[in-house]
Amino acid sequence: MRALLHLAAQQGLTVHAAHLEEGVLGMYSPDEARIYFDIKLTAFERRSVIAHELGHHHHGHTCDSEANERQADAYAARLLIDPERYAALCRVSMDHEFLAEEFGVTVDVIRSFEQHCLTPMRGVTYVHARLGAAQWRLRRERRAYA
């Protein structure tokens, strides 16, 4: 979580817990340079939502659309899931709930990673190499905090 907050701060964003309306887990406000998450979220949900909202900021989204949500989901999955660790854990179990627990994310993030970041070909699965500099930096920092 600390690494996500650090990444947000590096990008000029502040992250706030708030009482959001029913059904809204989080939101990105480009005008305020803020990310909000619902105060009732669990730690795993919080991490997942903040990473998703960072995806909206990264891609410059200013409105909601299905395409924007997919992009933000993929960004969050790439940010929170280490492909090598994912591969090692999949040798133990392919259960989404197990994987989510191990990564400290929601099951939706695991599904997004599988859908947007993996490409199976001839019995081998490849990870899309679309990480930006900020995501590589976060990955290094996350390892430092581990």
Side-chain angles (χ1 to χ4, degrees), residues 76-96:
R78 286 187 200 105
L79 196 61
L80 298 174
I81 306 296
D82 176 57
E84 290 176 21
R85 185 164 179 236
Y86 174 86
L89 289 170
C90 282
R91 287 190 285 276
V92 175
S93 174
M94 296 281 299
D95 180 62
H96 286 159

Side-chain angles (χ1 to χ4, degrees), residues 40-72:
K40 298 176 204 162
L41 297 179
T42 67
F44 291 179
E45 290 170 330
R46 228 175 291 140
R47 283 186 79 230
S48 302
V49 167
I50 291 170
H52 174 90
E53 299 306 331
L54 282 168
H56 285 304
H57 173 74
H58 176 79
H59 291 290
H61 298 159
T62 57
C63 63
D64 289 339
S65 75
E66 198 171 305
N68 288 353
E69 292 304 313
R70 274 194 310 275
Q71 272 189 318

Side-chain angles (χ1 to χ4, degrees), residues 68-117:
N68 288 353
E69 292 304 313
R70 274 194 310 275
Q71 272 189 318
D73 286 345
Y75 180 92
R78 286 187 200 105
L79 196 61
L80 298 174
I81 306 296
D82 176 57
E84 290 176 21
R85 185 164 179 236
Y86 174 86
L89 289 170
C90 282
R91 287 190 285 276
V92 175
S93 174
M94 296 281 299
D95 180 62
H96 286 159
E97 288 164 7
F98 165 76
L99 294 168
E101 180 78 24
E102 290 296 316
F103 281 105
V105 298
T106 62
V107 170
D108 290 338
V109 173
I110 299 297
R111 287 189 181 118
S112 291
F113 182 76
E114 291 175 349
Q115 181 180 6
H116 301 295
C117 305

